Tab-separated table of all heavy atoms in Angstrom:
chain	number	residue	atom	x	y	z
A	222	MET	N	-32.266	-43.150	-160.552
A	222	MET	CA	-33.241	-43.026	-159.476
A	222	MET	C	-33.276	-44.310	-158.664
A	222	MET	O	-32.930	-45.361	-159.150
A	222	MET	CB	-34.645	-42.792	-160.055
A	222	MET	CG	-34.837	-41.415	-160.655
A	222	MET	SD	-36.511	-41.260	-161.333
A	222	MET	CE	-37.455	-41.204	-159.799
A	223	LYS	N	-33.703	-44.171	-157.417
A	223	LYS	CA	-33.830	-45.343	-156.560
A	223	LYS	C	-35.237	-45.420	-155.980
A	223	LYS	O	-35.777	-44.417	-155.523
A	223	LYS	CB	-32.836	-45.253	-155.397
A	223	LYS	CG	-31.509	-45.891	-155.714
A	223	LYS	CD	-30.660	-45.998	-154.463
A	223	LYS	CE	-29.264	-46.497	-154.806
A	223	LYS	NZ	-28.392	-46.568	-153.643
A	224	THR	N	-35.795	-46.595	-156.009
A	224	THR	CA	-37.112	-46.801	-155.421
A	224	THR	C	-37.042	-48.007	-154.497
A	224	THR	O	-36.434	-49.016	-154.825
A	224	THR	CB	-38.169	-47.063	-156.522
A	224	THR	OG1	-38.245	-45.903	-157.355
A	224	THR	CG2	-39.544	-47.332	-155.909
A	225	THR	N	-37.641	-47.883	-153.321
A	225	THR	CA	-37.724	-49.008	-152.402
A	225	THR	C	-39.164	-49.505	-152.377
A	225	THR	O	-40.089	-48.719	-152.216
A	225	THR	CB	-37.291	-48.595	-150.984
A	225	THR	OG1	-35.950	-48.111	-151.043
A	225	THR	CG2	-37.333	-49.784	-150.032
A	226	LEU	N	-39.308	-50.810	-152.560
A	226	LEU	CA	-40.641	-51.424	-152.541
A	226	LEU	C	-40.754	-52.335	-151.331
A	226	LEU	O	-39.802	-53.023	-150.977
A	226	LEU	CB	-40.864	-52.269	-153.796
A	226	LEU	CG	-40.726	-51.606	-155.162
A	226	LEU	CD1	-40.768	-52.667	-156.245
A	226	LEU	CD2	-41.822	-50.595	-155.388
A	227	LYS	N	-41.920	-52.352	-150.725
A	227	LYS	CA	-42.212	-53.332	-149.681
A	227	LYS	C	-42.979	-54.466	-150.336
A	227	LYS	O	-43.995	-54.231	-150.984
A	227	LYS	CB	-43.078	-52.680	-148.583
A	227	LYS	CG	-42.258	-51.902	-147.573
A	227	LYS	CD	-41.587	-52.858	-146.606
A	227	LYS	CE	-40.629	-52.114	-145.666
A	227	LYS	NZ	-39.759	-53.097	-144.971
A	228	ILE	N	-42.470	-55.663	-150.163
A	228	ILE	CA	-43.059	-56.806	-150.866
A	228	ILE	C	-43.557	-57.860	-149.883
A	228	ILE	O	-42.881	-58.178	-148.905
A	228	ILE	CB	-42.018	-57.428	-151.813
A	228	ILE	CG1	-41.590	-56.386	-152.844
A	228	ILE	CG2	-42.579	-58.670	-152.498
A	228	ILE	CD1	-40.408	-56.795	-153.680
A	229	GLU	N	-44.736	-58.377	-150.173
A	229	GLU	CA	-45.305	-59.449	-149.352
A	229	GLU	C	-45.376	-60.738	-150.148
A	229	GLU	O	-45.626	-60.716	-151.349
A	229	GLU	CB	-46.714	-59.074	-148.890
A	229	GLU	CG	-46.768	-58.729	-147.413
A	229	GLU	CD	-48.146	-58.278	-146.991
A	229	GLU	OE1	-49.134	-58.736	-147.569
A	229	GLU	OE2	-48.214	-57.441	-146.073
A	230	GLY	N	-45.167	-61.859	-149.476
A	230	GLY	CA	-45.364	-63.154	-150.117
A	230	GLY	C	-44.079	-63.920	-150.384
A	230	GLY	O	-44.131	-65.055	-150.846
A	231	MET	N	-42.929	-63.318	-150.096
A	231	MET	CA	-41.666	-64.030	-150.321
A	231	MET	C	-41.354	-64.906	-149.109
A	231	MET	O	-41.464	-64.464	-147.974
A	231	MET	CB	-40.513	-63.045	-150.532
A	231	MET	CG	-40.655	-62.179	-151.765
A	231	MET	SD	-39.122	-61.277	-152.144
A	231	MET	CE	-38.999	-60.198	-150.711
A	232	SER	N	-40.992	-66.175	-149.374
A	232	SER	CA	-40.732	-67.071	-148.249
A	232	SER	C	-39.364	-67.751	-148.300
A	232	SER	O	-38.947	-68.369	-147.340
A	232	SER	CB	-41.831	-68.123	-148.167
A	232	SER	OG	-41.910	-68.816	-149.395
A	233	CYS	N	-38.674	-67.651	-149.424
A	233	CYS	CA	-37.360	-68.295	-149.503
A	233	CYS	C	-36.496	-67.605	-150.562
A	233	CYS	O	-36.946	-66.689	-151.227
A	233	CYS	CB	-37.516	-69.783	-149.795
A	233	CYS	SG	-38.138	-70.112	-151.458
A	234	GLU	N	-35.263	-68.118	-150.705
A	234	GLU	CA	-34.332	-67.508	-151.659
A	234	GLU	C	-34.820	-67.628	-153.099
A	234	GLU	O	-34.470	-66.825	-153.955
A	234	GLU	CB	-32.944	-68.140	-151.519
A	234	GLU	CG	-32.197	-67.693	-150.263
A	234	GLU	CD	-32.037	-66.178	-150.173
A	234	GLU	OE1	-31.750	-65.539	-151.199
A	234	GLU	OE2	-32.219	-65.633	-149.076
A	235	HIS	N	-35.618	-68.659	-153.338
A	235	HIS	CA	-36.175	-68.827	-154.676
A	235	HIS	C	-37.086	-67.639	-155.018
A	235	HIS	O	-37.057	-67.109	-156.124
A	235	HIS	CB	-36.955	-70.145	-154.750
A	235	HIS	CG	-37.541	-70.415	-156.102
A	235	HIS	ND1	-36.820	-70.984	-157.122
A	235	HIS	CD2	-38.762	-70.161	-156.606
A	235	HIS	CE1	-37.591	-71.074	-158.196
A	235	HIS	NE2	-38.779	-70.588	-157.908
A	236	CYS	N	-37.894	-67.242	-154.048
A	236	CYS	CA	-38.778	-66.085	-154.238
A	236	CYS	C	-37.948	-64.826	-154.492
A	236	CYS	O	-38.289	-64.006	-155.349
A	236	CYS	CB	-39.637	-65.858	-153.002
A	236	CYS	SG	-40.696	-67.244	-152.574
A	237	VAL	N	-36.883	-64.673	-153.729
A	237	VAL	CA	-36.008	-63.507	-153.873
A	237	VAL	C	-35.476	-63.438	-155.303
A	237	VAL	O	-35.490	-62.374	-155.939
A	237	VAL	CB	-34.831	-63.583	-152.867
A	237	VAL	CG1	-33.777	-62.530	-153.176
A	237	VAL	CG2	-35.346	-63.427	-151.444
A	238	HIS	N	-35.051	-64.597	-155.798
A	238	HIS	CA	-34.521	-64.669	-157.154
A	238	HIS	C	-35.599	-64.315	-158.182
A	238	HIS	O	-35.354	-63.564	-159.128
A	238	HIS	CB	-33.994	-66.081	-157.405
A	238	HIS	CG	-33.370	-66.256	-158.752
A	238	HIS	ND1	-32.135	-65.747	-159.065
A	238	HIS	CD2	-33.832	-66.854	-159.878
A	238	HIS	CE1	-31.865	-66.035	-160.331
A	238	HIS	NE2	-32.870	-66.703	-160.848
A	239	HIS	N	-36.782	-64.847	-157.948
A	239	HIS	CA	-37.917	-64.611	-158.834
A	239	HIS	C	-38.246	-63.122	-158.929
A	239	HIS	O	-38.425	-62.558	-160.011
A	239	HIS	CB	-39.110	-65.398	-158.274
A	239	HIS	CG	-40.153	-65.738	-159.286
A	239	HIS	ND1	-41.253	-66.498	-158.981
A	239	HIS	CD2	-40.284	-65.420	-160.598
A	239	HIS	CE1	-42.002	-66.620	-160.062
A	239	HIS	NE2	-41.438	-65.978	-161.050
A	240	VAL	N	-38.313	-62.476	-157.766
A	240	VAL	CA	-38.629	-61.045	-157.726
A	240	VAL	C	-37.505	-60.226	-158.352
A	240	VAL	O	-37.753	-59.279	-159.107
A	240	VAL	CB	-38.883	-60.585	-156.267
A	240	VAL	CG1	-38.992	-59.065	-156.187
A	240	VAL	CG2	-40.155	-61.229	-155.719
A	241	THR	N	-36.269	-60.619	-158.057
A	241	THR	CA	-35.123	-59.899	-158.613
A	241	THR	C	-35.152	-59.931	-160.141
A	241	THR	O	-34.990	-58.895	-160.800
A	241	THR	CB	-33.795	-60.530	-158.123
A	241	THR	OG1	-33.784	-60.526	-156.698
A	241	THR	CG2	-32.590	-59.752	-158.642
A	242	GLU	N	-35.405	-61.122	-160.682
A	242	GLU	CA	-35.443	-61.259	-162.138
A	242	GLU	C	-36.610	-60.471	-162.734
A	242	GLU	O	-36.477	-59.873	-163.804
A	242	GLU	CB	-35.555	-62.736	-162.537
A	242	GLU	CG	-34.301	-63.541	-162.228
A	242	GLU	CD	-33.048	-62.951	-162.873
A	242	GLU	OE1	-33.077	-62.673	-164.083
A	242	GLU	OE2	-32.058	-62.750	-162.153
A	243	ALA	N	-37.740	-60.461	-162.044
A	243	ALA	CA	-38.910	-59.728	-162.527
A	243	ALA	C	-38.607	-58.230	-162.608
A	243	ALA	O	-38.943	-57.563	-163.589
A	243	ALA	CB	-40.106	-59.984	-161.607
A	244	LEU	N	-37.944	-57.722	-161.568
A	244	LEU	CA	-37.627	-56.291	-161.545
A	244	LEU	C	-36.583	-55.945	-162.606
A	244	LEU	O	-36.683	-54.923	-163.289
A	244	LEU	CB	-37.134	-55.888	-160.154
A	244	LEU	CG	-38.235	-55.850	-159.076
A	244	LEU	CD1	-37.611	-55.729	-157.692
A	244	LEU	CD2	-39.207	-54.703	-159.330
A	245	LYS	N	-35.588	-56.820	-162.754
A	245	LYS	CA	-34.548	-56.575	-163.755
A	245	LYS	C	-35.111	-56.663	-165.169
A	245	LYS	O	-34.504	-56.149	-166.114
A	245	LYS	CB	-33.407	-57.582	-163.589
A	245	LYS	CG	-32.477	-57.226	-162.439
A	245	LYS	CD	-31.333	-58.230	-162.382
A	245	LYS	CE	-30.313	-57.853	-161.319
A	245	LYS	NZ	-29.334	-58.956	-161.124
A	246	GLY	N	-36.258	-57.323	-165.303
A	246	GLY	CA	-36.881	-57.467	-166.609
A	246	GLY	C	-37.622	-56.223	-167.069
A	246	GLY	O	-38.038	-56.130	-168.219
A	247	VAL	N	-37.791	-55.257	-166.162
A	247	VAL	CA	-38.465	-54.010	-166.532
A	247	VAL	C	-37.464	-53.124	-167.278
A	247	VAL	O	-36.347	-52.899	-166.800
A	247	VAL	CB	-38.974	-53.274	-165.270
A	247	VAL	CG1	-39.612	-51.944	-165.643
A	247	VAL	CG2	-39.964	-54.141	-164.510
A	248	ALA	N	-37.855	-52.656	-168.455
A	248	ALA	CA	-36.967	-51.803	-169.247
A	248	ALA	C	-36.599	-50.543	-168.469
A	248	ALA	O	-37.468	-49.858	-167.940
A	248	ALA	CB	-37.648	-51.437	-170.558
A	249	GLY	N	-35.292	-50.279	-168.366
A	249	GLY	CA	-34.830	-49.092	-167.653
A	249	GLY	C	-34.298	-49.378	-166.264
A	249	GLY	O	-33.699	-48.519	-165.631
A	250	VAL	N	-34.514	-50.600	-165.798
A	250	VAL	CA	-33.994	-50.985	-164.476
A	250	VAL	C	-32.543	-51.438	-164.629
A	250	VAL	O	-32.237	-52.300	-165.448
A	250	VAL	CB	-34.844	-52.116	-163.843
A	250	VAL	CG1	-34.155	-52.682	-162.604
A	250	VAL	CG2	-36.226	-51.583	-163.482
A	251	SER	N	-31.660	-50.853	-163.830
A	251	SER	CA	-30.245	-51.212	-163.935
A	251	SER	C	-29.809	-52.167	-162.833
A	251	SER	O	-28.862	-52.927	-163.007
A	251	SER	CB	-29.382	-49.953	-163.915
A	251	SER	OG	-29.726	-49.134	-162.824
A	252	ALA	N	-30.495	-52.118	-161.700
A	252	ALA	CA	-30.137	-53.024	-160.606
A	252	ALA	C	-31.315	-53.226	-159.673
A	252	ALA	O	-32.124	-52.321	-159.471
A	252	ALA	CB	-28.953	-52.470	-159.820
A	253	ALA	N	-31.398	-54.420	-159.107
A	253	ALA	CA	-32.445	-54.715	-158.133
A	253	ALA	C	-31.853	-55.563	-157.020
A	253	ALA	O	-31.244	-56.589	-157.280
A	253	ALA	CB	-33.599	-55.451	-158.796
A	254	THR	N	-31.993	-55.078	-155.793
A	254	THR	CA	-31.510	-55.821	-154.634
A	254	THR	C	-32.696	-56.163	-153.755
A	254	THR	O	-33.359	-55.274	-153.214
A	254	THR	CB	-30.496	-54.977	-153.838
A	254	THR	OG1	-29.487	-54.514	-154.732
A	254	THR	CG2	-29.848	-55.805	-152.731
A	255	VAL	N	-32.973	-57.444	-153.622
A	255	VAL	CA	-34.153	-57.882	-152.888
A	255	VAL	C	-33.734	-58.517	-151.566
A	255	VAL	O	-32.817	-59.336	-151.522
A	255	VAL	CB	-34.970	-58.892	-153.722
A	255	VAL	CG1	-36.210	-59.357	-152.970
A	255	VAL	CG2	-35.372	-58.270	-155.061
A	256	SER	N	-34.402	-58.113	-150.486
A	256	SER	CA	-34.113	-58.668	-149.165
A	256	SER	C	-35.284	-59.479	-148.644
A	256	SER	O	-36.398	-58.958	-148.488
A	256	SER	CB	-33.791	-57.537	-148.186
A	256	SER	OG	-33.800	-58.037	-146.858
A	257	LEU	N	-35.023	-60.744	-148.376
A	257	LEU	CA	-36.054	-61.615	-147.813
A	257	LEU	C	-36.335	-61.224	-146.369
A	257	LEU	O	-37.481	-61.183	-145.921
A	257	LEU	CB	-35.576	-63.068	-147.888
A	257	LEU	CG	-36.466	-64.152	-147.288
A	257	LEU	CD1	-37.809	-64.201	-148.003
A	257	LEU	CD2	-35.785	-65.510	-147.375
A	258	LYS	N	-35.279	-60.906	-145.654
A	258	LYS	CA	-35.362	-60.558	-144.239
A	258	LYS	C	-36.226	-59.306	-144.026
A	258	LYS	O	-37.027	-59.234	-143.109
A	258	LYS	CB	-33.949	-60.300	-143.717
A	258	LYS	CG	-33.768	-60.584	-142.242
A	258	LYS	CD	-32.305	-60.445	-141.865
A	258	LYS	CE	-32.156	-59.692	-140.566
A	258	LYS	NZ	-30.762	-59.287	-140.327
A	259	GLU	N	-36.033	-58.343	-144.905
A	259	GLU	CA	-36.754	-57.072	-144.743
A	259	GLU	C	-37.990	-56.986	-145.632
A	259	GLU	O	-38.691	-55.968	-145.610
A	259	GLU	CB	-35.799	-55.916	-145.026
A	259	GLU	CG	-34.706	-55.828	-143.966
A	259	GLU	CD	-33.621	-54.827	-144.326
A	259	GLU	OE1	-33.858	-54.000	-145.232
A	259	GLU	OE2	-32.556	-54.875	-143.703
A	260	ASN	N	-38.249	-58.020	-146.405
A	260	ASN	CA	-39.381	-58.010	-147.327
A	260	ASN	C	-39.397	-56.747	-148.184
A	260	ASN	O	-40.426	-56.076	-148.303
A	260	ASN	CB	-40.702	-58.142	-146.568
A	260	ASN	CG	-40.912	-59.553	-146.052
A	260	ASN	OD1	-40.816	-60.508	-146.812
A	260	ASN	ND2	-41.146	-59.685	-144.769
A	261	SER	N	-38.245	-56.432	-148.731
A	261	SER	CA	-38.182	-55.217	-149.521
A	261	SER	C	-37.270	-55.394	-150.729
A	261	SER	O	-36.507	-56.351	-150.818
A	261	SER	CB	-37.655	-54.065	-148.658
A	261	SER	OG	-36.306	-54.291	-148.331
A	262	ALA	N	-37.398	-54.447	-151.643
A	262	ALA	CA	-36.532	-54.432	-152.815
A	262	ALA	C	-36.060	-53.005	-153.055
A	262	ALA	O	-36.847	-52.062	-152.968
A	262	ALA	CB	-37.287	-54.935	-154.040
A	263	GLN	N	-34.761	-52.875	-153.320
A	263	GLN	CA	-34.212	-51.584	-153.717
A	263	GLN	C	-33.912	-51.669	-155.196
A	263	GLN	O	-33.168	-52.532	-155.628
A	263	GLN	CB	-32.929	-51.296	-152.945
A	263	GLN	CG	-33.201	-50.833	-151.521
A	263	GLN	CD	-32.090	-49.936	-150.996
A	263	GLN	OE1	-31.124	-49.679	-151.699
A	263	GLN	NE2	-32.238	-49.467	-149.780
A	264	VAL	N	-34.504	-50.734	-155.930
A	264	VAL	CA	-34.381	-50.784	-157.377
A	264	VAL	C	-33.723	-49.508	-157.883
A	264	VAL	O	-34.118	-48.405	-157.505
A	264	VAL	CB	-35.774	-50.935	-158.033
A	264	VAL	CG1	-35.635	-51.185	-159.523
A	264	VAL	CG2	-36.559	-52.063	-157.372
A	265	GLU	N	-32.696	-49.687	-158.699
A	265	GLU	CA	-32.070	-48.543	-159.369
A	265	GLU	C	-32.573	-48.524	-160.794
A	265	GLU	O	-32.527	-49.537	-161.490
A	265	GLU	CB	-30.549	-48.684	-159.354
A	265	GLU	CG	-29.934	-48.281	-158.023
A	265	GLU	CD	-28.426	-48.402	-158.058
A	265	GLU	OE1	-27.814	-47.852	-158.993
A	265	GLU	OE2	-27.886	-49.055	-157.166
A	266	HIS	N	-33.036	-47.366	-161.209
A	266	HIS	CA	-33.660	-47.317	-162.540
A	266	HIS	C	-33.610	-45.934	-163.160
A	266	HIS	O	-33.379	-44.935	-162.463
A	266	HIS	CB	-35.117	-47.789	-162.430
A	266	HIS	CG	-35.929	-46.991	-161.445
A	266	HIS	ND1	-36.539	-45.818	-161.792
A	266	HIS	CD2	-36.206	-47.189	-160.133
A	266	HIS	CE1	-37.185	-45.334	-160.719
A	266	HIS	NE2	-36.976	-46.141	-159.715
A	267	ALA	N	-33.876	-45.900	-164.452
A	267	ALA	CA	-33.943	-44.640	-165.187
A	267	ALA	C	-35.203	-43.873	-164.786
A	267	ALA	O	-36.152	-44.453	-164.257
A	267	ALA	CB	-33.964	-44.932	-166.683
A	268	GLY	N	-35.210	-42.576	-165.054
A	268	GLY	CA	-36.340	-41.727	-164.692
A	268	GLY	C	-37.615	-42.056	-165.441
A	268	GLY	O	-38.706	-41.631	-165.048
A	269	THR	N	-37.473	-42.831	-166.496
A	269	THR	CA	-38.639	-43.201	-167.290
A	269	THR	C	-39.451	-44.323	-166.651
A	269	THR	O	-40.574	-44.593	-167.061
A	269	THR	CB	-38.191	-43.691	-168.691
A	269	THR	OG1	-37.165	-44.658	-168.521
A	269	THR	CG2	-37.670	-42.543	-169.534
A	270	VAL	N	-38.854	-44.990	-165.657
A	270	VAL	CA	-39.534	-46.114	-165.011
A	270	VAL	C	-40.432	-45.605	-163.879
A	270	VAL	O	-39.967	-44.920	-162.980
A	270	VAL	CB	-38.510	-47.121	-164.435
A	270	VAL	CG1	-39.219	-48.264	-163.736
A	270	VAL	CG2	-37.609	-47.648	-165.542
A	271	THR	N	-41.692	-45.945	-163.948
A	271	THR	CA	-42.633	-45.497	-162.923
A	271	THR	C	-42.753	-46.543	-161.807
A	271	THR	O	-42.536	-47.727	-162.047
A	271	THR	CB	-44.041	-45.288	-163.517
A	271	THR	OG1	-44.522	-46.544	-164.013
A	271	THR	CG2	-44.016	-44.269	-164.641
A	272	PRO	N	-43.106	-46.096	-160.608
A	272	PRO	CA	-43.335	-47.051	-159.520
A	272	PRO	C	-44.404	-48.077	-159.896
A	272	PRO	O	-44.319	-49.234	-159.495
A	272	PRO	CB	-43.820	-46.159	-158.366
A	272	PRO	CG	-43.229	-44.818	-158.652
A	272	PRO	CD	-43.226	-44.700	-160.156
A	273	ASP	N	-45.379	-47.661	-160.669
A	273	ASP	CA	-46.443	-48.579	-161.092
A	273	ASP	C	-45.908	-49.717	-161.957
A	273	ASP	O	-46.379	-50.849	-161.862
A	273	ASP	CB	-47.526	-47.817	-161.870
A	273	ASP	CG	-48.577	-47.211	-160.955
A	273	ASP	OD1	-48.505	-47.473	-159.733
A	273	ASP	OD2	-49.443	-46.473	-161.456
A	274	ALA	N	-44.921	-49.407	-162.789
A	274	ALA	CA	-44.334	-50.440	-163.649
A	274	ALA	C	-43.597	-51.471	-162.799
A	274	ALA	O	-43.651	-52.676	-163.063
A	274	ALA	CB	-43.383	-49.811	-164.665
A	275	LEU	N	-42.919	-51.006	-161.759
A	275	LEU	CA	-42.198	-51.908	-160.852
A	275	LEU	C	-43.186	-52.776	-160.090
A	275	LEU	O	-43.004	-53.979	-159.943
A	275	LEU	CB	-41.341	-51.101	-159.874
A	275	LEU	CG	-40.261	-50.216	-160.511
A	275	LEU	CD1	-39.562	-49.386	-159.440
A	275	LEU	CD2	-39.252	-51.059	-161.275
A	276	LYS	N	-44.243	-52.130	-159.608
A	276	LYS	CA	-45.289	-52.841	-158.865
A	276	LYS	C	-45.916	-53.923	-159.744
A	276	LYS	O	-46.106	-55.066	-159.305
A	276	LYS	CB	-46.351	-51.811	-158.442
A	276	LYS	CG	-47.417	-52.328	-157.506
A	276	LYS	CD	-48.268	-51.142	-157.001
A	276	LYS	CE	-49.292	-51.582	-155.975
A	276	LYS	NZ	-50.591	-51.959	-156.544
A	277	ALA	N	-46.213	-53.565	-160.980
A	277	ALA	CA	-46.839	-54.516	-161.906
A	277	ALA	C	-45.940	-55.726	-162.146
A	277	ALA	O	-46.417	-56.862	-162.211
A	277	ALA	CB	-47.157	-53.814	-163.221
A	278	ALA	N	-44.637	-55.490	-162.258
A	278	ALA	CA	-43.694	-56.587	-162.508
A	278	ALA	C	-43.660	-57.547	-161.327
A	278	ALA	O	-43.652	-58.769	-161.507
A	278	ALA	CB	-42.299	-56.019	-162.776
A	279	VAL	N	-43.674	-56.998	-160.120
A	279	VAL	CA	-43.651	-57.832	-158.914
A	279	VAL	C	-44.948	-58.639	-158.812
A	279	VAL	O	-44.937	-59.838	-158.507
A	279	VAL	CB	-43.451	-56.971	-157.647
A	279	VAL	CG1	-43.641	-57.797	-156.376
A	279	VAL	CG2	-42.066	-56.335	-157.654
A	280	GLU	N	-46.056	-57.979	-159.108
A	280	GLU	CA	-47.352	-58.657	-158.997
A	280	GLU	C	-47.509	-59.741	-160.064
A	280	GLU	O	-48.087	-60.789	-159.803
A	280	GLU	CB	-48.480	-57.627	-159.057
A	280	GLU	CG	-48.511	-56.818	-157.761
A	280	GLU	CD	-49.579	-55.728	-157.734
A	280	GLU	OE1	-50.168	-55.422	-158.795
A	280	GLU	OE2	-49.789	-55.173	-156.641
A	281	GLU	N	-46.944	-59.463	-161.220
A	281	GLU	CA	-46.996	-60.451	-162.297
A	281	GLU	C	-46.197	-61.712	-161.909
A	281	GLU	O	-46.510	-62.809	-162.337
A	281	GLU	CB	-46.428	-59.835	-163.578
A	281	GLU	CG	-47.162	-60.252	-164.838
A	281	GLU	CD	-46.793	-59.357	-165.997
A	281	GLU	OE1	-47.369	-58.255	-166.090
A	281	GLU	OE2	-45.922	-59.740	-166.780
A	282	ALA	N	-45.177	-61.504	-161.109
A	282	ALA	CA	-44.344	-62.630	-160.661
A	282	ALA	C	-45.042	-63.404	-159.537
A	282	ALA	O	-44.584	-64.467	-159.127
A	282	ALA	CB	-42.986	-62.117	-160.196
A	283	GLY	N	-46.138	-62.853	-159.036
A	283	GLY	CA	-46.925	-63.576	-158.032
A	283	GLY	C	-46.776	-63.087	-156.605
A	283	GLY	O	-47.168	-63.771	-155.662
A	284	TYR	N	-46.231	-61.888	-156.458
A	284	TYR	CA	-46.041	-61.323	-155.126
A	284	TYR	C	-46.793	-60.008	-155.001
A	284	TYR	O	-47.255	-59.453	-155.989
A	284	TYR	CB	-44.552	-61.158	-154.828
A	284	TYR	CG	-43.807	-62.444	-155.011
A	284	TYR	CD1	-43.266	-62.764	-156.254
A	284	TYR	CD2	-43.725	-63.362	-153.985
A	284	TYR	CE1	-42.641	-63.992	-156.458
A	284	TYR	CE2	-43.098	-64.580	-154.173
A	284	TYR	CZ	-42.553	-64.900	-155.403
A	284	TYR	OH	-41.943	-66.104	-155.603
A	285	GLU	N	-46.886	-59.539	-153.776
A	285	GLU	CA	-47.710	-58.372	-153.483
A	285	GLU	C	-46.813	-57.175	-153.103
A	285	GLU	O	-45.892	-57.330	-152.308
A	285	GLU	CB	-48.606	-58.726	-152.298
A	285	GLU	CG	-49.813	-57.850	-152.125
A	285	GLU	CD	-50.979	-58.276	-153.035
A	285	GLU	OE1	-51.000	-59.450	-153.465
A	285	GLU	OE2	-51.808	-57.426	-153.310
A	286	VAL	N	-47.105	-56.009	-153.667
A	286	VAL	CA	-46.409	-54.791	-153.230
A	286	VAL	C	-47.330	-54.057	-152.274
A	286	VAL	O	-48.498	-53.820	-152.586
A	286	VAL	CB	-46.056	-53.873	-154.428
A	286	VAL	CG1	-45.456	-52.568	-153.943
A	286	VAL	CG2	-45.096	-54.598	-155.361
A	287	VAL	N	-46.821	-53.728	-151.103
A	287	VAL	CA	-47.650	-53.059	-150.097
A	287	VAL	C	-47.202	-51.632	-149.833
A	287	VAL	O	-46.110	-51.239	-150.219
A	287	VAL	CB	-47.685	-53.843	-148.756
A	287	VAL	CG1	-48.439	-55.145	-148.926
A	287	VAL	CG2	-46.286	-54.132	-148.247
B	1210	CU	CU1	-39.776	-69.045	-152.194
C-alpha cells in the first residue's frame, strides 16, 4: 500500500532524514520517500499499517502531519 502524508515543520535535509527514519521505524513500512520541497512523504507499507501509526511516528519525531 502507499500513503502520502503532508508534513509541516521540516526546514532542512536533517529534518528530512529525521522524518524518513521515523517512518521507516514503523513496523510494516518498507520504504519512505520524504520531500522537503513538497513538504510530503510517500510511504510504502503493509496493509496492517494504519495512517494513524504513520502520523504518530512523524509527530513523535517532532513534526506535524496536516
Ligand atoms: Cu532541519
